[in-house]
């Protein structure tokens, strides 16, 4: 595409954006007061901002539908048997360690004469000093983590709790000024199998508390070894406090009890007994539609309109014998009529779901809500006030205050790459939705600005910027006091490329609506590209992919040949890193990537995946240079990789969850690595396909499968292949209920969403957990009731991928 054609296309895009936003403002002005409360929103119109009531943009933070939570279901389970462990009348079995103190009080017992009281300071010592308590076991001496913990422990004499599968206790927190209150508990088992497990995760459970009242906390422990229980601990991390909140906390605990209930399904590929796994959000009319069950007593199903009660389809249930087990498949792909439906098979009926072209739009609003709730440096109602005004990045005797942008996860950290990807995804989706949903598009631009401002703010202007900064406590906001934290800035080429991409796209999107910011973004993008290019000598696949993609983003906005030349120069790194010929294995596969052109290391990610970037880069080249002699090579590489993902998805049918990667036994001699590889599907003498990543402490696969889904959606957009779009969509469906546990991993979306690790910010509608994990070295889904980092931790990275995938799906002909 020539520079003149690019300018013409860009001008047309700007005109369409301005026209539709203006038209929306007019419609809202005429009809906006009907049926909704007025809310003031800043709306872009003809290159300037005006205040206009927009009733279609939901108020944020969005309310949580508590009746749809897993906690609500758990609290309503019948208790089959119970055993009182402690009513807090005997102090002899309790002990204390770490900070604070333990006492017994008669002030407000829940049962009996006493309750146990834990009091502690919110902060002590200096950030980075040796911690006291459980934090030492988890975080070592990492800067930005809490300095320690206050811990009380109920000791037991190697008791066998095998007949029970749930703990219940009551907690009364008194923390005036705290908006979010959390605590955790650990079960200690000293039998042949230990609890907590490796990395202090399996057997640890975090929970949120309402202030100034008794909270009943329940924790299903069916997944934990409990034949020789020696203790249960209750833990408060010294997490600091906001200005105006108390500096000493108080927790009363009472009525510790064992219970027996019918436990949740927590491991394996089979669907929860008595349930049907379906996409809680729903299905696009033009793509496949199916649900899954295991062992239900029915030979046929009915698809019923939930509004009218009419039966739209009655059909036989298909039995599928697959690699991962035997399943009952409920396929209703022939139904494309928009509506709200339920599936009924025998005596089992699903909750309602939708079939609609805009079925994923609600998840976009909810994801925006999650980012809004994760904002740093400003007041977020119900979560925090203006925060972290004393958190800094430093370089060469200069400092920048780091607040702004978005907190990254369940803690309060900040990541430049994650922020850049989120900004890029929001702006890309805004461009896609401009014509159909201009209000939603404008809200995406508004939220993207928040992250964009942080990217611009935290650069020192010479390649150095804040790349990553850990923060896991609240501070007093005053520079020069004991809770200050400062991180060294870095000059890291991958980060600079990714931030340059976000800045370049912002320059294009905002050229008419905010020309001053657009100019600043373009200047920063060109500088950051130059800083990255100077350091990125002999780039590997990941860095070359980012370089090609960013160069194409800058070429599109500037038309400058230097950027297209760099993209064309590094495209061969991507092509040469791909396996393009069959290998002599039992199950031959082609199309996957290595980390470098020498093919010395297979490409795989176990947490934050960048597997989508080679395909994103190649699709950009294909679109911009349709007549280039290498286009057929780029296009065929995209097709080969897409076919590779389609092929390996057969191993997880009927879910079609994308397997993680091919692994070789030669990659590591570490015993855990080897055992995890051996638990995969054998492809040849030393090569195995792992369905889940080989991983250690950091577990949960939303960050990996959604990266692969982004690659598929980009390929689908290029090739107009509806099968690729369908497979990409199935990764979204896996996250919202079409999984063995029939639970949504997006909080506030669908049904039966479990608590997520968000100890600092509280429950947030739209947050995505890191994802479903595996137990130990196994290669099958594991989703226990534990609420702990990292697998149930909220994280902006998969959320940004979610938006970026939808920018393709809603731009792809279906």
């Amino acid at each position: 595409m020539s520079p003149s054609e690019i300018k013409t296309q860009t001008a047309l895009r700007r005109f369409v954006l301005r026209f539709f936003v203006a038209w929306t403002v007019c419609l809202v002005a005429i009809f906006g007061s009907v049926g909704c409360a007025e809310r003031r929103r800043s709306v872009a119109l003809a290159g300037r901002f005006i205040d206009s009531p927009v009733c279609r943009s939901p108020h944020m933070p969005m309310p949580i539908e508590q009746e749809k939570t897993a906690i609500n279901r758990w609290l309503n389970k019948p208790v089959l048997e119970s055993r009182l462990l402690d009513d807090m009348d005997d102090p002899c079995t309790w002990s204390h360690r770490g900070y604070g103190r333990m006492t017994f009080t008669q002030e407000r017992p829940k049962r009996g004469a006493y309750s146990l009281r834990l009091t502690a300071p919110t902060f002590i010592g200096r950030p980075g000093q040796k911690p006291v308590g459980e934090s030492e076991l988890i975080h070592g001496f990492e800067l930005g983590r809490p300095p320690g913990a206050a811990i009380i422990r109920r000791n037991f004499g190697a008791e066998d709790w095998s007949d029970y599968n749930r703990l219940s206790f009551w907690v009364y927190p008194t923390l005036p000024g705290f908006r979010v209150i959390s605590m955790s508990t650990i079960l200690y088992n000293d039998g042949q199998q230990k609890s907590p497990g490796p990395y202090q995760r399996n057997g640890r459970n975090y929970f949120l508390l309402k202030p100034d009242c008794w909270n009943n906390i329940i924790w299903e422990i069916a997944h934990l070894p409990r034949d020789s229980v020696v203790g249960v601990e209750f833990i408060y991390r010294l997490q600091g406090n906001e200005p105006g909140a108390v500096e000493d906390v108080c927790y009363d605990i009472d009525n510790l009890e064992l219970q027996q209930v019918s436990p949740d399904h927590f491991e394996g590929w089979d669907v929860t007994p008595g349930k049907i796994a379906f996409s809680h959000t729903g299905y696009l009319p033009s793509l496949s539609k199916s649900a899954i069950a295991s062992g239900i007593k029915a030979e046929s199903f009915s698809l019923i309109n939930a509004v009218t009660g009419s039966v739209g389809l009655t059909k036989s249930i298909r039995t599928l014998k697959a690699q991962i087990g035997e399943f009952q498949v409920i396929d209703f792909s022939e139904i494309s009529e928009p509506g709200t439906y339920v599936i009924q098979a025998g005596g089992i009926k699903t909750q309602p779901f939708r079939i609609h072209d805009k079925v994923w739009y609600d998840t976009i609003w909810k994801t925006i809500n999650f980012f809004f709730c994760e904002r740093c440096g400003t007041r977020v109602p119900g979560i925090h006030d203006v925060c972290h005004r004393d958190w800094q990045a430093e370089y060469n005797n200069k400092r920048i205050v780091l607040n702004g942008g978005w907190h990254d996860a369940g803690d309060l950290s900040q990541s430049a790459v994650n922020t850049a990807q989120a900004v890029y995804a929001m702006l890309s989706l805004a461009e896609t939705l401009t014509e159909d949903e201009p209000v939603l598009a404008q809200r995406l631009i508004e939220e993207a600005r928040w992250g964009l401002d942080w990217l611009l703010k935290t650069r020192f202007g010479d390649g150095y910027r804040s790349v990553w900064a850990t923060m896991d406590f609240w501070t007093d906001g005053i520079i020069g006091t004991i809770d200050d934290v400062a991180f060294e800035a870095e000059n890291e080429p991958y980060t600079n490329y990714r931030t340059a991409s976000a800045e370049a796209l912002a320059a294009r999107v905002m050229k008419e609506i905010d020309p001053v910011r657009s100019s600043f973004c373009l200047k920063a993008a060109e500088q950051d590209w130059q800083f990255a290019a100077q350091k990125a000598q002999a780039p590997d696949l990941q860095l070359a992919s980012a370089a090609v993609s960013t160069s194409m983003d800058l070429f599109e906005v500037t038309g400058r040949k230097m950027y297209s030349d760099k993209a064309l120069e590094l495209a061969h790194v991507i092509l040469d890193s791909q396996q393009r010929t069959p290998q002599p294995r039992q199950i031959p596969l082609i199309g996957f990537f290595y980390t470098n052109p020498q093919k010395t290391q297979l490409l795989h990610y176990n947490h934050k995946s960048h597997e989508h970037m080679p395909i994103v880069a190649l699709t950009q080249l294909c679109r911009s240079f349709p007549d280039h002699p290498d286009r057929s090579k780029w296009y065929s590489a995209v097709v080969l990789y897409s076919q590779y993902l389609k092929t390996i998805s057969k191993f997880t049918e009927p879910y079609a969850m994308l397997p993680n990667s091919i692994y070789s036994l030669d990659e590591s001699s570490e015993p855990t690595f080897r055992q995890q590889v051996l638990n995969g599907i054998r492809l040849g003498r030393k090569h195995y396909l792992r369905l889940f990543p080989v991983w250690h402490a950091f577990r949960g696969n939303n960050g990996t499968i959604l990266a692969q889904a982004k690659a598929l959606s980009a390929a689908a957009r290029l090739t107009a292949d509806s099968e690729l779009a369908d497979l990409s969509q199935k990764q979204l469906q896996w996250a919202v209920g079409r999984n063995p546990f029939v639970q949504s991993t997006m909080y506030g979306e669908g049904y039966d969403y479990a608590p997520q690790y968000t100890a600092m910010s509280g429950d947030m509608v739209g947050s995505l957990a890191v994802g479903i994990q595996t137990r130990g070295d196994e290669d099958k889904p594991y989703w226990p009731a534990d609420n702990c980092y990292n697998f149930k931790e909220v994280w902006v990275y998969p959320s940004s991928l979610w938006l970026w995938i939808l920018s393709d799906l809603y731009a792809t002909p279906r």
Side-chain angles (χ1 to χ4, degrees), residues 327-588:
F327 300 90
Q328 295 160 297
V329 178
I330 297 168
D331 192 305
F332 49 101
S333 298
E334 58 265 52
I335 300 298
S336 59
E337 181 68 24
T340 302
Y341 298 90
V342 297
I343 300 167
Q344 182 161 359
I348 301 172
K349 182 185 288 188
T350 68
Q351 295 285 352
F353 59 88
R354 291 198 308 152
I355 297 175
H356 199 279
D357 274 330
K358 298 182 179 180
V359 74
W360 296 107
Y361 279 25
D362 279 354
T363 69
I364 298 173
W365 281 115
K366 291 174 181 179
T367 302
I368 295 171
N369 179 78
F370 169 54
F371 277 95
F372 174 83
C373 292
E374 286 281 61
R375 285 184 177 188
C376 174
T378 189
R379 176 178 174 269
V380 181
I383 297 177
H384 61 74
D385 212 331
V386 178
C387 61
H388 297 124
R389 290 169 290 178
D390 48 1
W391 185 17
Q392 300 161 76
E394 58 184 0
Y395 162 66
N396 198 23
N397 296 318
K398 295 175 284 188
R399 291 198 172 195
I400 294 172
V401 175
L402 282 180
N403 69 344
W406 302 293
H407 295 140
D408 184 68
D411 58 12
L412 305 169
S413 302
Q414 290 267 24
S415 164
V417 167
N418 294 359
T419 300
Q421 180 166 278
V423 170
Y424 196 99
M426 290 175 190
L427 295 177
S428 296
L429 182 54
E431 286 194 309
T432 297
L433 298 179
T434 293
E435 297 185 20
D436 290 340
E437 287 290 329
V439 174
L440 178 51
Q442 178 55 31
R443 183 63 186 86
L444 284 161
I445 294 172
E446 177 189 335
E447 195 61 37
R449 288 171 179 273
W450 192 258
L452 178 67
D453 286 350
W454 185 83
L455 292 176
L456 296 171
K457 167 186 175 178
T458 55
R459 56 195 300 274
F460 284 88
D462 57 357
Y464 283 82
R465 68 189 322 132
S466 175
V467 172
W468 171 263
T470 301
M471 177 54 69
D472 206 7
F473 52 83
W474 301 113
T475 66
D476 61 13
I478 302 171
I479 295 175
T481 60
I482 198 170
D483 62 0
D484 289 0
V485 177
F487 281 85
E488 288 287 338
E490 299 175 62
N491 185 352
E492 201 278 310
Y494 186 78
T495 301
N496 279 328
Y497 273 135
R498 297 304 302 277
T499 55
S501 275
E503 292 155 353
L505 181 56
R508 189 181 78 212
V509 171
M510 296 181 180
K511 187 166 186 178
E512 291 297 321
I513 60 178
D514 193 344
V516 173
R517 191 185 310 231
S518 171
S519 178
F520 183 19
C521 286
L522 182 56
K523 178 182 177 182
E526 294 196 276
Q527 290 176 346
D528 289 341
W529 181 91
Q530 190 66 48
F531 298 139
Q534 288 170 353
K535 281 200 82 175
Q537 303 301 318
D540 61 6
L541 173 66
Q542 178 175 302
L543 190 53
S545 299
V548 172
S549 182
T550 304
S551 299
M552 293 308 302
D553 286 324
L554 277 165
F555 175 69
E556 185 170 351
V557 73
T558 67
R560 295 178 65 186
K561 188 173 181 293
M562 63 179 290
Y563 298 121
S564 60
D565 285 350
K566 175 61 72 172
L568 294 170
E569 171 195 335
L570 293 177
H572 77 89
V573 176
I574 302 176
L575 297 179
D576 293 346
S577 298
Q578 187 178 42
Q579 183 64 47
R580 301 176 67 85
T581 57
Q583 297 292 292
R585 297 174 187 149
Q586 291 172 267
I587 305 176

Side-chain angles (χ1 to χ4, degrees), residues 658-676:
L658 290 170
N660 177 251
S661 183
I662 301 169
Y663 289 81
S664 171
L665 290 172
D666 294 342
E667 292 180 51
S668 173
S669 59
E670 199 266 327
T672 297
F673 176 91
R674 182 178 180 85
Q675 189 56 57
Q676 289 190 52

Side-chain angles (χ1 to χ4, degrees), residues 29-63:
I30 298 170
F31 302 111
S33 61
V34 180
C36 64
E38 283 195 351
R39 292 187 291 275
R40 309 301 292 180
R41 287 283 176 197
S42 185
V43 178
L45 176 61
R48 69 184 189 277
F49 288 88
I50 64 170
D51 262 349
S52 174
V54 177
C55 67
R56 297 175 64 192
S57 181
H59 179 71
M60 295 180 184
M62 296 170 70

Side-chain angles (χ1 to χ4, degrees), residues 554-680:
L554 277 165
F555 175 69
E556 185 170 351
V557 73
T558 67
R560 295 178 65 186
K561 188 173 181 293
M562 63 179 290
Y563 298 121
S564 60
D565 285 350
K566 175 61 72 172
L568 294 170
E569 171 195 335
L570 293 177
H572 77 89
V573 176
I574 302 176
L575 297 179
D576 293 346
S577 298
Q578 187 178 42
Q579 183 64 47
R580 301 176 67 85
T581 57
Q583 297 292 292
R585 297 174 187 149
Q586 291 172 267
I587 305 176
L589 294 170
I590 60 172
F592 55 88
F593 285 97
Y594 293 82
T595 61
N596 53 58
Q598 294 74 35
K599 298 183 173 65
T600 57
Q601 171 67 53
L602 289 157
L603 179 72
H604 30 245
Y605 296 90
N606 64 5
H607 183 56
K608 182 165 74 174
S609 175
H610 305 283
E611 191 171 339
H612 53 297
M613 288 307 299
I615 302 305
V616 169
L618 292 175
T619 59
Q620 289 176 281
L621 287 168
C622 287
R623 285 197 302 270
S624 293
F625 301 116
D627 300 321
H628 194 279
D630 285 341
R631 187 184 188 276
S632 61
K633 296 179 183 179
W634 307 329
Y635 192 92
S636 68
V638 171
V639 171
L640 276 177
Y641 176 80
S642 303
Q643 292 301 319
Y644 160 70
L645 290 184
K646 286 171 69 173
T647 299
I648 63 174
S649 71
K650 304 300 182 186
F651 288 104
T652 60
E653 287 287 1
Y655 300 101
M657 182 205 81
L658 290 170
N660 177 251
S661 183
I662 301 169
Y663 289 81
S664 171
L665 290 172
D666 294 342
E667 292 180 51
S668 173
S669 59
E670 199 266 327
T672 297
F673 176 91
R674 182 178 180 85
Q675 189 56 57
Q676 289 190 52
V677 172
L678 289 171
N679 285 337

Side-chain angles (χ1 to χ4, degrees), residues 72 95 113 174 192 216 221 227 235 268 272 300 482 490 532 544 555 573-574 633 655 676 696 739 766 775:
N72 181 67
S95 59
T174 307
Q192 186 174 357
N216 184 201
I221 55 174
D227 59 326
I235 303 161
T272 299
S300 63
I482 198 170
E490 299 175 62
F555 175 69
V573 176
I574 302 176
K633 296 179 183 179
Y655 300 101
Q676 289 190 52
H696 296 90
N739 57 58
R775 189 206 293 255

